[in-house]
């Protein structure tokens, strides 16, 4: 048995040295040589005696410190001398010892080789100038357009990451086909065609995120900040997201097509009945016609109550059912272009105030905040308490009136609901004093 191996066998059988060797390993990884200070905290008496036996220095405190060089010199005075410190550490831990810097370089090389192999595959199968090859070249060169998504998945499972990159590249090729054929494709159908899984490119999934990065490369665009901009980006490349779950309830709103008023929705308007509009229904809609004032409420029950008490009076009322979805935002934009004024009212609680503030920030003074003043809050108050996490949502409100209301909510810490001011809302729509 050589001296290094004999030395290792001794220390492996003396568990009292284990923490010391863990620190020696870390120092070698940091410096690549015998260097640095070793610090051991909360040592036992046995640990201190053991270290003293090697380096010849006595320790009385529970926190001890000595240099790597002192420990190595001590080993060279033992019966195991001469020893190679690096070989001893490698034998002790059963793996090759590299500096952190060298290890990082190797990992970086492996990641680049991984991507370059896929790039070569794209070039061979789709051509050097294909959109898939050009996208991946940019990912490698500029470390953007999906680089972080790829590396994150590569660390988890290189094989799955390879499939991910290839599917994203094939998706970009498929988008070129859709563009050439001037054909739209539902997102689920598109995903199934490319990967065999209709949910592969769902929003938030690794595949979905990488697809969006690839489209951003194609369009030279920034990553979408919210669901609405995500939807618009997909539609810009002829991919149709789930257009059924994005909906709004409406009453008295006329939808314009290139051939005139939409006949189906006109029937609802003539019968003075409410109806549902989805993003799918908005295909081919060019604009809207509405009353001079359009009222939007957050809550379905409030919407139903208001309509049942309008008594056939002409009005335009919408219900967003909470956070306005893409179809609601699109309709608001169209309504404002038609010169109508919009009055928005929601629950006077942290979420309701934030929704109203976001709408105002997006559309400006075309949106009038309706029945959400501090006085309305007093009338709408319930006994439902608002916790600290809810109160924290009331910071950074921008709209002047909503800011005052937010301060009132912070003081009282009770939620205000539209159901408690139904009569006031109804009188406003009817134009009653």
């Amino acid at each position: 048995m050589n001296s290094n191996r004999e030395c290792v066998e001794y220390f492996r059988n003396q568990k009292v040295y284990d923490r010391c060797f863990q620190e020696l390993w870390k120092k070698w990884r940091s410096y690549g040589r015998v260097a640095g200070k070793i610090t051991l905290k909360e040592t036992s008496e046995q640990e201190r005696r053991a270290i003293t036996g090697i380096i010849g220095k006595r320790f009385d405190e529970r926190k001890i410190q000595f240099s790597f060089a002192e420990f190595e010199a001590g080993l060279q005075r033992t019966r195991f001398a001469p020893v190679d410190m690096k070989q001893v550490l490698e034998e002790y831990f059963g793996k090759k010892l590299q500096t952190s810097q060298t290890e990082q370089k190797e990992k970086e090389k492996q990641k680049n080789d991984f991507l370059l192999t896929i790039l070569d595959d794209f070039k061979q199968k789709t051509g050097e100038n294909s959109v898939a090859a050009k996208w991946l070249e940019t990912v490698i060169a500029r470390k953007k357009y999906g680089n972080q998504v790829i590396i994150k998945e590569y660390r988890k499972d290189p094989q799955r990451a390879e499939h991910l990159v290839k599917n994203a590249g094939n998706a970009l090729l498929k988008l070129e086909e859709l563009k050439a054929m001037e054909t739209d494709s539902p997102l689920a159908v598109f995903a199934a065609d490319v990967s065999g899984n209709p949910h592969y490119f769902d929003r938030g999934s690794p595949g979905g995120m990488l697809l969006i990065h690839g489209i951003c490369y194609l369009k030279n665009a920034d990553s979408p900040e919210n669901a609405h901009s995500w939807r618009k980006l997909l539609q810009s490349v002829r991919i149709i997201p789930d257009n059924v779950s994005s909906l709004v309830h409406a009453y008295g709103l006329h939808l314009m097509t290139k051939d005139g008023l939409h006949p189906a929705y006109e029937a609802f308007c003539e019968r003075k009945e409410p109806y549902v509009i989805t993003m799918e229904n908005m295909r081919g809609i060019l604009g809207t016609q509405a009353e001079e004032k359009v009222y939007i409420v957050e809550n379905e029950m409030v919407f139903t109550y208001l309509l049942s008490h309008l008594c056939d009076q002409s009005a335009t009322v919408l219900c967003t059912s909470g956070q306005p979805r893409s179809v609601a935002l699109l309709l608001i934009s169209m309504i404002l272009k038609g010169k109508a004024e919009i009055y928005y009212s929601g629950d006077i609680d942290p979420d309701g105030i934030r929704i109203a503030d976001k709408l105002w920030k997006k559309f400006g003074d075309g949106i009038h905040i309706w029945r959400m003043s501090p006085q309305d809050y007093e009338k709408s108050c319930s006994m439902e308490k608002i916790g600290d996490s809810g109160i924290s949502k009331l910071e950074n409100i921008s709209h002047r009136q909503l800011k005052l209301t937010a301060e009132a909510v912070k003081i009282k810490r009770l939620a205000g609901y539209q159901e408690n001011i139904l009569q006031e809302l109804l009188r406003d729509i009817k134009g009653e004093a």
Side-chain angles (χ1 to χ4, degrees):
M1 182 180 291
N2 65 39
S3 57
N4 289 333
R5 190 168 300 170
E6 191 177 348
C7 176
V8 169
E9 286 299 320
Y10 171 79
F11 283 110
R12 275 184 176 163
N13 291 325
Q14 303 292 323
K15 296 300 181 185
V16 72
Y17 289 104
D18 189 57
R19 282 209 299 161
C20 174
F21 268 73
Q22 295 284 349
E23 294 304 312
L24 294 172
W25 176 272
K26 291 177 185 176
K27 292 302 177 187
W28 191 287
R29 275 179 45 80
S30 295
Y31 296 105
R33 56 189 171 84
V34 174
K37 293 278 187 182
I38 306 298
T39 301
L40 298 176
K41 298 178 181 179
E42 300 297 324
T43 57
S44 66
E45 185 179 344
Q46 291 87 347
E47 283 179 305
R48 293 193 294 277
R49 277 206 307 264
I51 302 298
T52 296
I54 298 295
I55 66 176
K57 182 193 292 186
R58 180 173 174 173
F59 299 100
D60 296 317
E61 303 294 328
R62 297 189 69 182
K63 177 181 177 181
I64 67 175
Q65 192 174 66
F66 53 93
S67 72
F68 197 155
E70 286 178 298
F71 190 88
E72 196 262 352
L75 276 187
Q76 301 299 358
R77 293 192 295 268
T78 66
R79 62 186 172 87
F80 306 117
V83 295
D84 183 304
M85 200 67 225
K86 182 182 180 186
Q87 290 181 16
V88 167
L89 288 171
E90 288 179 335
E91 188 79 25
Y92 185 91
F93 288 100
K95 55 186 177 181
K96 188 176 180 182
L97 180 56
Q98 292 181 315
T99 64
S100 301
Q101 188 176 17
T102 301
E103 190 173 293
Q104 187 60 37
K105 284 180 180 178
E106 283 199 7
K107 286 181 178 178
E108 194 65 31
K109 184 178 182 302
Q110 288 173 359
K111 286 185 286 188
N112 281 335
D113 289 346
F114 162 77
L115 290 173
L116 288 171
T117 300
I118 301 174
L119 177 59
D120 287 340
D121 185 62
F122 276 146
K123 288 181 176 180
Q124 288 177 17
K125 292 179 179 177
T126 65
E128 297 218 354
N129 293 316
S130 72
V131 65
K134 289 297 183 184
W135 162 68
L136 193 52
E137 278 183 348
T138 306
V139 169
I140 296 168
R142 297 175 59 186
K143 299 289 189 285
K144 61 182 299 188
Y145 294 124
N147 179 71
Q148 289 185 342
V149 175
I150 295 169
I151 296 309
K152 182 179 179 181
E153 295 305 309
Y154 173 81
R155 287 173 182 152
K156 294 180 191 174
D157 186 336
Q159 190 172 9
R160 285 185 64 186
E162 180 181 348
H163 290 309
L164 177 70
V165 178
K166 288 182 176 179
N167 281 333
N170 290 331
L172 298 183
L173 294 167
K174 185 76 174 175
L175 290 178
E176 286 199 324
E177 292 179 20
L178 295 180
K179 182 179 178 181
M181 294 187 295
E182 298 184 352
T183 302
D184 294 343
S185 175
L187 179 60
V189 175
F190 179 81
D193 285 345
V194 172
S195 70
N197 177 0
H199 298 290
Y200 193 82
F201 293 128
D202 281 0
R203 185 169 183 243
S205 69
M209 289 188 287
L210 197 55
L211 173 65
I212 289 297
H213 281 297
I215 297 172
C216 287
Y217 163 77
L218 287 179
K219 309 292 288 185
N220 192 26
D222 294 329
S223 295
E225 297 179 351
N226 50 47
H228 183 60
S229 52
W230 170 82
R231 186 180 294 274
K232 286 181 68 175
L233 184 66
L234 286 176
Q235 290 172 335
S236 74
V237 290
R238 310 195 76 96
I239 298 296
I240 309 303
D242 167 22
N243 278 345
V244 177
S245 62
S246 179
L247 56 84
V248 65
H249 293 81
Y251 175 87
L253 182 67
H254 308 271
L255 303 184
M256 299 290 298
T257 72
K258 63 182 179 60
D259 299 318
L261 294 173
H262 193 295
Y265 290 109
E266 278 309 289
F268 282 111
C269 289
E270 288 173 8
R271 292 172 59 86
K272 295 191 180 300
E273 293 180 3
Y275 46 88
V276 173
I277 306 172
T278 69
M279 277 298 289
E280 186 65 25
N281 300 138
M282 291 301 293
R283 297 175 71 181
I285 300 301
L286 304 178
T288 63
Q289 288 182 3
E291 298 295 320
E292 290 183 4
K293 293 181 178 179
V294 175
Y295 296 92
I296 302 178
V297 295
E298 177 188 345
N299 186 295
E300 297 99 328
M301 195 286 284
V302 173
F303 177 74
T304 301
Y305 174 88
L306 294 174
L307 298 191
S308 67
H309 289 77
L310 281 177
C311 302
D312 293 332
Q313 183 172 335
S314 293
T316 303
V317 187
L318 274 64
C319 175
T320 62
S321 304
Q323 186 75 39
R325 299 184 178 119
S326 294
V327 65
L329 298 176
L330 179 58
L331 283 169
I332 289 171
S333 179
M334 287 183 171
I335 291 167
L336 291 175
K337 285 179 182 177
K339 307 303 181 187
E341 292 186 330
I342 292 178
Y343 290 78
Y344 176 84
S345 181
D347 287 332
I348 308 180
D349 61 2
D351 289 330
I353 291 173
R354 287 181 68 191
I355 290 171
D357 193 55
K358 284 181 181 179
L359 278 175
W360 176 75
K361 282 193 279 192
K362 183 174 181 63
F363 294 105
D365 291 332
I367 297 277
H368 301 280
I369 303 304
W370 169 42
R371 289 291 175 185
M372 297 185 74
S373 69
Q375 294 77 21
D376 296 309
Y377 171 61
E378 292 297 327
K379 295 178 183 176
S380 69
C381 254
S382 69
M383 297 306 295
E384 185 173 336
K385 294 183 179 180
I386 300 171
D388 291 339
S389 62
I391 293 297
S392 68
K393 294 179 182 180
L394 295 171
E395 301 300 328
N396 303 316
I397 300 299
S398 299
H399 186 274
R400 188 175 65 177
Q401 185 188 77
L402 289 176
K403 190 178 289 189
L404 295 174
T405 305
E407 292 303 317
V409 175
K410 287 180 187 177
I411 294 169
K412 208 158 189 175
R413 298 177 76 95
L414 295 173
Y417 293 116
Q418 288 184 297
E419 288 86 346
N420 294 333
I421 53 170
L422 289 173
Q423 293 303 315
E424 288 85 348
L425 295 171
L426 183 60
R427 283 199 296 270
D428 289 342
I429 296 176
K430 286 185 171 182
E432 298 173 353

